Amino acid sequence: MAFKVTILIITTTFLSFISSTCSQQITIVDSTDCSNRWIHIRNIPPRYNLDLLTNCSEYPLFDNYCPYLANHGLGQKTHNRSHSWYRTDPFLLELIFHRRVLEYPCLTPDPDTADAIYLPYYAGIDALRYLYGPDVNVSVDHGADLFDFLQIDEPRIWDRNMGHDHFLVMARPAWDFSQPVDSDPPTWGTSFLELPEFFNVTALVPEARAWPWQEHAVPYPTSFHPSNLAFFDSWIQRVKRSRRNTLMVFAGGGGVAATPNIRRSIRNECESNSSSDIVVINRGYSRVCEIVDCSNGICEHDPVRFMRPMLGASFCMQPPGDTPTRRSTFDGILAGCIPVFFEEQSAKAQYGWHLPEDEYGEFAVFIPKEDVVFKGLSIVDVLMGIPRGQVRRMREKVIDLIPRVMYRKHGSSMGLRTKKDAFDIAIKGTLQKIKSRIDRLLDQ
Ligand SMILES: *[C@@H]1O[C@H](CO)[C@@H](O)[C@H](O)[C@H]1NC(C)=O
Ligand SMILES: *[C@@H]1O[C@H](CO)[C@@H](O)[C@H](O)[C@H]1NC(C)=O
Ligand SMILES: *[C@@H]1O[C@H](CO)[C@@H](O)[C@H](O)[C@H]1NC(C)=O
Ligand SMILES: *[C@@H]1O[C@H](CO)[C@@H](O)[C@H](O)[C@H]1NC(C)=O
Ligand SMILES: *[C@@H]1O[C@H](CO)[C@@H](O)[C@H](O)[C@H]1NC(C)=O
């Protein structure tokens, strides 16, 4: 009971903060140039966002996510003396994003002058009742009620650009919202992204579908959320100084069944000794490989379990699992650990705004999974074939990417705001995407 009360207090604080900020609608007039960057926050009833959080313990098949709501979705600090590390659950990106939009410098109360309209709908959280709850048999309806609201309440806001200027965050892989509307019996997912009603709306998701569609991928949140430049810089120094005694690390689960797959191949290579191990040791590493067992979600809210090994390794394995992408890609970058990808869908085809597509050769290694699983290509051999100087340059490039993939804490210092973080880059990309859609619309 005591637990539930705490959560309600957290929720209420969040609520009162949001309502006070919204009612004032302060537009911060500083030196920021807001032309082409104005955002209007669409006013929607709390049943589409904050009210949903009161049911945070109602979905045992998913998880009780009440503990992760603290700090506007960043979660609780990992320990009392921590400045920048939180027990962040990536599914709460909708809250994290909402809180950050509230301090975006170019908000306007006037939808007519806005370049983009933000829908503060917690789509992924609302999806839980369709995915794991009482509405599992009507999952094609996800979004229908919201669409009706948007048509009835101040319809001119939608009509102005037929929804092409609206955007929202959906903190689950797009796959979870892509159930065909006519699938009978219902398959996994809701049909939100398959409803023609929402085709014009830009959705920011941690993983997009393989073909170009209305969604765009943004980084999964990690556990690192610094609030000022000093905390940020001290982490960067730690990453740069870290001694990397291990060649490669894999933090994750899976690969234990007999069926051949890339996770199993990684495990096999880590668990067996081969002649190339001698070469690795001669290169100054004290071990070839480390596996951090993250099965059953034990690592998810406990970043120290995987950050420490990643800080001590040169390369981080980022194999696909149930879906091609993983949060671990961003944890690894944060640790200055060079990502090793096994399919293009894991990152290159996803995060074009945040990880420059034409520079992958400079900060990542790509090894096609088929070559490893079916042709016996050794990952260790590939990594050992990269000259030391190149490994050092790649690591420097990875470290340069850190600000781009982190979500800094809300209310952070002006100094840190000069670093464009994952949120800033997502907003910039969204504004450009919306502008090009509307330009195309005007051309017709
Ligand atoms: C919370 O869950 C209860 C029981 O399933 C449901 O009746 C209620 O509508 C839910 N509230 C929200 C805001 O979803
Ligand atoms: C952290 O601080 C809170 C409040 O000051 C205290 O109740 C709690 O025991 C502390 N936890 C630890 C692990 O020190
Ligand atoms: C959904 O439909 C299936 C098959 O008709 C049924 O067995 C199940 O009880 C339904 N679930 C809910 C929550 O209504
Ligand atoms: C989406 O935009 C197209 C024009 O590009 C328009 O014909 C259609 O009606 C719009 N859909 C909705 C639901 O507004
Ligand atoms: C691999 O090498 C280590 C260290 O030399 C040794 O302790 C271990 O038993 C070896 N394992 C196998 C499977 O040969």
Side-chain angles (χ1 to χ4, degrees), residues 6-80:
T6 328
I7 297 315
L8 286 177
I9 293 169
I10 293 165
T11 317
T12 321
T13 321
F14 188 57
L15 233 168
S16 58
F17 176 82
I18 291 206
S19 44
S20 64
T21 312
C22 290
S23 60
Q24 291 166 21
Q25 286 281 10
I26 308 169
T27 305
I28 301 169
V29 184
D30 56 13
S31 54
T32 316
D33 175 12
C34 288
S35 50
N36 300 317
R37 297 176 53 207
W38 291 108
I39 292 178
H40 171 75
I41 303 177
R42 184 101 196 229
N43 197 4
I44 57 176
R47 71 172 184 276
Y48 294 116
N49 45 47
L50 299 174
D51 285 358
L52 296 168
L53 306 180
T54 58
N55 273 359
C56 58
S57 61
E58 299 284 307
Y59 304 103
L61 282 179
F62 170 65
D63 191 7
N64 172 354
Y65 64 92
C66 306
Y68 321 128
L69 293 174
N71 292 308
H72 302 282
L74 301 183
Q76 269 140 9
K77 289 194 170 179
T78 48
H79 53 265
N80 279 356

Side-chain angles (χ1 to χ4, degrees), residues 22 123 136 147 218 247 275 286 289 361:
C22 290
V136 63
F147 184 75
V218 300
L247 174 70
S275 53
S286 62
C289 185

Side-chain angles (χ1 to χ4, degrees), residues 95-396:
L95 275 76
I96 298 171
F97 212 92
H98 188 188
R99 177 61 186 81
R100 284 292 300 281
V101 171
L102 295 177
E103 67 184 48
Y104 175 73
C106 304
L107 290 181
T108 171
D110 175 10
D112 291 331
T113 60
D115 299 290
I117 311 279
Y118 168 61
L119 271 178
Y121 172 47
Y122 298 166
I125 292 176
D126 199 19
L128 293 175
R129 63 194 165 99
Y130 300 104
L131 299 175
Y132 302 102
D135 297 331
V136 63
N137 288 335
V138 287
S139 49
V140 296
D141 291 347
H142 182 205
D145 176 65
L146 174 67
F147 184 75
D148 290 345
F149 173 82
L150 297 175
Q151 304 312 301
I152 294 163
D153 181 77
E154 302 189 73
R156 68 191 174 88
I157 304 179
W158 180 277
D159 293 345
R160 196 169 61 117
N161 287 304
M162 289 176 284
H164 284 279
D165 52 2
H166 283 50
F167 74 101
L168 83 169
V169 178
M170 308 182 80
R172 304 183 70 92
W175 171 247
D176 290 350
F177 306 107
S178 309
Q179 175 192 225
V181 284
D182 54 3
S183 80
D184 179 31
T187 51
W188 171 255
T190 81
S191 302
F192 191 99
L193 290 174
E194 291 283 321
L195 296 181
E197 286 88 336
F198 286 106
F199 281 174
N200 299 346
V201 173
T202 296
L204 305 181
V205 292
E207 177 182 309
R209 285 169 286 182
W211 55 95
W213 209 244
Q214 73 265 46
E215 72 266 15
H216 198 283
V218 300
Y220 287 89
T222 65
S223 290
F224 179 61
H225 309 287
S227 60
N228 64 41
L229 212 42
F231 293 145
F232 172 77
D233 285 338
S234 79
W235 176 253
I236 298 292
Q237 288 315 315
R238 178 159 176 206
V239 171
K240 286 185 173 166
R241 277 196 316 263
S242 184
R243 273 193 56 78
R244 298 181 190 262
N245 292 323
T246 309
L247 174 70
M248 57 188 257
V249 64
F250 170 52
V256 286
T259 38
N261 67 35
I262 183 64
R263 289 187 179 221
R264 184 171 164 81
S265 298
I266 291 171
R267 267 178 193 280
N268 285 348
E269 225 178 306
C270 281
E271 283 159 8
S272 75
N273 293 353
S274 74
S275 53
S276 58
D277 295 5
I278 310 294
V279 183
V280 177
I281 307 298
N282 286 344
R283 265 277 195 98
Y285 293 105
S286 62
R287 69 173 149 183
V288 179
C289 185
E290 179 174 2
I291 292 194
V292 182
D293 180 9
C294 287
S295 39
N296 303 318
I298 54 167
C299 296
E300 227 164 290
H301 306 108
D302 201 3
V304 70
R305 278 183 195 256
F306 51 81
M307 289 309 293
R308 231 186 264 284
M310 285 173 164
L311 277 170
S314 279
F315 296 96
C316 281
M317 304 302 104
Q318 304 299 358
D322 295 338
T323 74
T325 67
R326 23 184 355 226
R327 162 190 169 165
S328 178
T329 295
F330 303 100
D331 296 320
I333 290 174
L334 208 55
C337 187
I338 300 163
V340 179
F341 296 115
F342 301 90
E343 52 175 59
E344 303 280 23
Q345 276 302 316
S346 290
K348 195 172 180 180
Q350 299 278 348
Y351 306 106
W353 292 344
H354 293 81
L355 303 176
E357 236 171 290
D358 48 358
E359 293 170 20
Y360 268 69
E362 295 164 37
F363 65 84
V365 177
F366 181 70
I367 309 177
K369 60 177 191 283
E370 295 76 13
D371 289 358
V372 177
V373 178
F374 300 114
K375 298 186 189 156
L377 180 64
S378 153
I379 301 168
V380 174
D381 288 350
V382 172
L383 300 181
M384 287 308 297
I386 307 173
R388 272 187 209 205
Q390 194 183 338
V391 173
R392 201 183 51 242
R393 283 193 301 278
M394 289 175 92
R395 179 155 57 240
E396 283 162 9

